[in-house]
């Protein structure tokens, strides 16, 4: 007996569940097959518990500033790391519950098991055969752990297990300072742990602009020891782990391996699809429609490694389901690229990153947040904003920044970029005083000074149409 379904979705993460909701606009004839824990990576071991931990850490990180501005007693604050971790898990469980309910709401159409393609339209799971009109692969990724590191046993921790630590030791090694390693490294440092971090690159937190990255490194280096351009070896020495980058070995209680993530495609039987696979075992797919060749198969979310972020995984799920239901439909446009790292100060990029800029024709507008008025008042004066602007037409094409309240600045920039605004048009927007957004205005003004065509009019919109802004 072969069961039939109009749509089969592999993976009950953000991409899979969004694809499910998009599919259900057209049909209820859908099966959801998940192998592994329910609740989504984002809510279970990703975005949500990490930000819950960072909120507590950033609050504790304010104690020295509080003491400096006349609020006594903060030096006596005690961190109960076990209580902090328990608090994170309570919030985590609250955030995962909705996703678990949604996945299981399908009843017998929600299948727990590891699926395998027999051919492009036939799958096998738990010994049952399923014929599908269309399949969406949304199986996500998992942390990379070198085999040689397994000897560290339970002292080796990834983002998959860090939030399960009941009472983490206070000497912490972090290997890899991409967004995940940087966020979690700073969190444990701000909570009073002795953090030693190593990264192979020169920049941190996924930033590619050296000056912007340096502005974050300067803050982090006051909180933890950091070795950049470091290749580190690890070994267990009794009850401790020795980390060695060829200079001075350090002893830690546990190591967070934040070395990147790899797609969950083993055992899916992708070699049965009849299409070429690359050296990683991935089939080629259309980056716009996410369709694998001309097969009724779509590959969505982190597993496709295009944009490994929660909102992009959700959009992938929408796109994949839309095209699976309407293969001839015109493709849907992507939103402006936006990535945020929730350190303090925050970091991130929109549009083109520094690394992706064309070799010529760009102007950079800078703002230094170490001297920005509102940031100074808050004792959060650190960071650098670089806006990348097309010198020919003044359009914003991208930005990298480190700044207080970076997440909000990055949203303003992403929305402006998606609207195709020029620096002149952005400068016509309201800027309240005193705010960190005034730092954005400084960067826009700096960019405009570098553009050949200068604005001859004040920074106000023209009276094209009468708008009544009367207050009250
Ligand atoms: C520590 C950390 C912090 C993060 N912070 C942020 C953040 O602040 N903001 C942000 O935008 N993004 C963040 N991310 C990234 C974000 O979590 C991911 O982009 C998002 O969760 C990807 O969703 P997905 O649906 O592709 O994968 P997942 O949510 O991982 O879903 C994949 C599903 O497939 C299942 N599965 C695995 N293998 C199989 C198989 N063979 N067959 C069937 N099912 C399978 C899994 O059990 C899982 O349920 C963070 C990630 C981490 C790890």
């Amino acid at each position: 007996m072969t069961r039939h379904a109009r749509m089969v979705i592999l993976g009950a993460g953000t991409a899979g569940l969004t694809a499910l909701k998009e599919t259900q606009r057209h049909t209820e004839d859908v099966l959801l097959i998940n192998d592994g824990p329910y609740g989504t990576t984002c809510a279970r071991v990703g975005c949500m518990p990490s930000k819950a931990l960072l909120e507590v850490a950033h609050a504790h990180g304010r104690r020295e500033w509080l003491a400096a501005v006349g609020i006594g007693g903060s030096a006596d604050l005690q961190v109960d790391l076990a209580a902090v971790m328990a608090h994170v898990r309570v919030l985590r469980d609250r955030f995962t519950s909705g996703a678990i309910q949604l996945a299981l709401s399908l009843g017998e159409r929600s299948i727990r098991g590891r699926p395998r393609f027999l051919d492009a339209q036939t799958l096998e799971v738990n010994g049952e055969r399923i014929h599908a009109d269309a399949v969406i692969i949304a199986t996500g990724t998992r942390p990379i752990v070198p085999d040689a590191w397994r000897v560290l046993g339970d002292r080796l921790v990834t983002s998959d297990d860090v939030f399960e630590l009941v009472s983490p030791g206070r000497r912490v090694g972090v290997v890899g300072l991409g967004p995940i390693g940087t966020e979690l490294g700073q969190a444990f440092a701000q909570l009073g742990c002795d953090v030693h971090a190593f990264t192979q690159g020169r920049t941190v937190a996924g930033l590619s602009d050296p000056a912007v990255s340096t502005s974050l490194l300067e803050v982090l280096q006051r909180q933890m020891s950091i070795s950049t351009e470091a290749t580190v070896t690890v070994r267990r020495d009794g009850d401790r782990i020795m980390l060695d980058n060829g200079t001075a070995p350090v002893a830690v209680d546990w190591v967070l391996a934040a070395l990147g993530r790899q797609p969950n495609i083993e055992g899916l039987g992708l070699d049965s699809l009849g299409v070429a696979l690359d050296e990683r075992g991935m089939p080629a797919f259309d980056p716009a429609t996410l369709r694998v060749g001309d097969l009724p198969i779509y590959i969505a979310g982190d597993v496709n490694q295009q944009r490994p972020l929660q909102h992009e995984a959700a959009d992938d799920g929408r796109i994949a389901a839309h095209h699976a239901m309407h293969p001839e439909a015109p493709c849907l446009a992507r939103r402006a690229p936006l990535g945020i790292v929730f350190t303090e100060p925050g970091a991130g990029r929109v549009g083109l990153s520094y690394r992706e800029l064309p070799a010529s024709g760009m102007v950079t507008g800078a703002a230094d947040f170490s001297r920005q008025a509102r940031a100074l008042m808050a004792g959060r004066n650190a960071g650098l904003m670089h806006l990348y602007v097309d010198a020919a037409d003044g359009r914003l094409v991208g930005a990298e920044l480190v700044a207080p309240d970076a997440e909000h600045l990055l949203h303003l920039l992403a929305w402006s970029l998606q609207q195709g605004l020029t620096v002149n048009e952005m400068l016509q927007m309201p800027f309240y005083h005193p705010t960190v957004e005034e730092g954005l205005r400084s960067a826009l003004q700096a960019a405009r000074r570098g553009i050949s065509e200068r604005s001859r009019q004040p920074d106000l919109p023209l009276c094209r149409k009468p708008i009544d802004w009367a207050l009250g």
Side-chain angles (χ1 to χ4, degrees), residues 10-16 33-38 40-42 45-47 50-51 113-115 138-141 159 163 180 183-184 261 264 266 268 300-303 307-311 313 340 342:
L10 311 184
T14 299
I33 306 175
N34 192 69
D35 184 39
Y38 285 80
T40 79
T41 290
C42 174
V45 290
C47 336
S50 59
K51 268 81 259 184
R114 175 165 283 224
T139 49
T141 56
S159 54
F163 305 108
I180 293 173
E183 283 186 352
L184 293 176
R261 298 177 66 86
N264 294 324
E266 298 78 8
L268 284 178
D302 280 18
V303 66
R307 300 175 181 87
L309 293 167
Q310 195 271 355
H311 68 284
I340 300 175
F342 292 81

Side-chain angles (χ1 to χ4, degrees), residues 62 344-346 366-385 387 401-413 430-445:
R62 302 282 283 159
E344 173 55 45
D368 177 357
F369 282 87
S370 68
R371 292 180 291 136
Q372 205 268 335
R374 185 57 193 271
L376 268 165
M377 291 172 205
R380 300 171 70 202
N381 50 309
L384 177 67
M385 173 185 283
L387 303 182
L401 62 89
V402 170
D405 292 331
E407 61 192 277
H408 306 303
L409 293 168
L410 287 160
H411 271 90
L412 289 179
L413 287 167
F431 289 88
Y432 208 81
H433 177 69
T435 59
V436 289
E437 282 74 8
E438 289 175 312
L440 166 58
R441 183 171 59 188
S442 303
L444 288 167
Q445 287 166 337

Side-chain angles (χ1 to χ4, degrees), residues 32-195:
L32 178 67
I33 306 175
N34 192 69
D35 184 39
Y38 285 80
T40 79
T41 290
C42 174
R44 205 170 50 77
V45 290
C47 336
M48 305 303 264
S50 59
K51 268 81 259 184
L53 183 68
L54 283 160
E55 284 296 340
V56 180
H58 294 340
H60 189 247
R62 302 282 283 159
R63 67 197 181 285
E64 285 173 15
W65 179 75
L66 287 173
V69 298
I71 298 182
S74 62
D76 297 332
L77 289 175
Q78 302 287 323
V79 177
D80 178 345
L81 217 43
V84 172
M85 300 308 287
H87 159 78
V88 168
R89 284 191 290 274
V90 168
L91 278 179
R92 186 269 320 267
D93 291 347
R94 187 172 163 161
F95 297 131
T96 52
S97 63
I100 296 172
Q101 272 171 27
L102 175 58
L104 302 183
S105 67
L106 292 183
E108 58 92 34
R109 297 191 148 272
S110 183
I111 300 170
R112 197 185 288 262
R114 175 165 283 224
R116 188 168 61 91
F117 282 98
L118 301 180
D119 61 46
Q121 287 190 273
T122 314
L123 289 145
E124 187 179 65
V125 61
N126 302 334
E128 183 185 20
R129 283 193 177 202
I130 298 165
H131 182 269
D133 289 350
V135 181
I136 296 175
I137 302 169
T139 49
T141 56
R142 64 183 184 283
I144 294 172
V145 179
D147 282 342
W149 290 32
R150 304 261 178 213
V151 294
L152 303 183
D154 62 358
R155 300 305 179 92
L156 174 65
V157 172
T158 68
S159 54
D160 272 2
D161 4 76
V162 67
F163 305 108
E164 291 303 325
L165 293 176
V166 174
S167 187
R170 289 188 177 264
R171 294 179 304 172
V172 185
V174 175
V175 185
L177 285 176
I180 293 173
T182 308
E183 283 186 352
L184 293 176
Q186 187 185 45
F188 284 102
Q190 287 180 315
L191 289 168
C193 294
D194 193 6
V195 178

Side-chain angles (χ1 to χ4, degrees), residues 143-439:
I144 294 172
V145 179
D147 282 342
W149 290 32
R150 304 261 178 213
V151 294
L152 303 183
D154 62 358
R155 300 305 179 92
L156 174 65
V157 172
T158 68
S159 54
D160 272 2
D161 4 76
V162 67
F163 305 108
E164 291 303 325
L165 293 176
V166 174
S167 187
R170 289 188 177 264
R171 294 179 304 172
V172 185
V174 175
V175 185
L177 285 176
I180 293 173
T182 308
E183 283 186 352
L184 293 176
Q186 187 185 45
F188 284 102
Q190 287 180 315
L191 289 168
C193 294
D194 193 6
V195 178
H196 299 271
F198 303 84
T199 193
Q200 276 191 327
R202 286 186 193 176
T203 58
V204 295
L207 297 164
S208 68
D209 188 318
V212 176
S213 171
T214 297
S215 74
L216 181 59
L217 260 173
E218 283 168 4
V219 176
L220 297 174
Q221 278 165 336
R222 293 199 286 270
Q223 301 166 336
M224 54 174 137
S225 89
I226 297 182
S227 304
T228 55
E229 297 177 87
T231 302
V232 78
T233 57
V234 294
R235 83 186 149 80
R236 190 153 186 162
D237 179 19
D239 207 26
R240 57 188 195 163
I241 304 294
M242 300 304 297
L243 289 167
D244 192 352
N245 73 339
T247 52
V250 290
V252 294
D253 299 317
W254 56 281
V255 177
L256 175 76
L259 303 167
R261 298 177 66 86
Q262 66 189 70
N264 294 324
I265 51 173
E266 298 78 8
L268 284 178
L270 297 180
D271 50 351
S272 306
L273 299 183
V275 293
L277 305 179
D278 67 15
E279 67 285 353
R280 297 165 305 162
M282 288 284 282
F285 62 93
D286 179 339
T289 63
L290 308 180
R291 184 170 183 178
V292 175
D294 56 4
L295 302 177
I297 297 177
Y298 298 79
I299 182 154
D302 280 18
V303 66
N304 71 28
Q305 299 199 292
Q306 285 200 126
R307 300 175 181 87
L309 293 167
Q310 195 271 355
H311 68 284
E312 299 283 10
D315 280 353
D316 270 14
R318 281 183 196 103
I319 289 169
H322 176 74
H323 286 294
M325 300 310 290
H326 314 285
E328 304 310 324
C331 75
L332 301 168
R334 303 299 301 215
R335 299 172 217 260
L338 167 63
I340 300 175
V341 183
F342 292 81
T343 43
E344 173 55 45
R349 54 80 59 105
V350 302
L352 294 185
S353 67
Y354 175 84
R355 188 190 292 124
E356 294 161 343
L357 291 175
S360 61
M362 290 290 134
V363 164
T364 300
D368 177 357
F369 282 87
S370 68
R371 292 180 291 136
Q372 205 268 335
R374 185 57 193 271
L376 268 165
M377 291 172 205
R380 300 171 70 202
N381 50 309
L384 177 67
M385 173 185 283
H386 273 176
L387 303 182
Y388 314 125
V389 173
D390 189 320
D393 62 9
R395 242 166 255 288
L396 178 71
V397 299
E400 288 195 26
L401 62 89
V402 170
D405 292 331
E407 61 192 277
H408 306 303
L409 293 168
L410 287 160
H411 271 90
L412 289 179
L413 287 167
W415 291 21
S416 302
L417 191 128
Q418 187 164 320
Q419 296 297 316
L421 298 187
T422 64
V423 288
N424 278 332
E425 287 165 334
M426 291 172 73
L427 282 165
Q428 290 170 7
M429 300 292 175
F431 289 88
Y432 208 81
H433 177 69
T435 59
V436 289
E437 282 74 8
E438 289 175 312

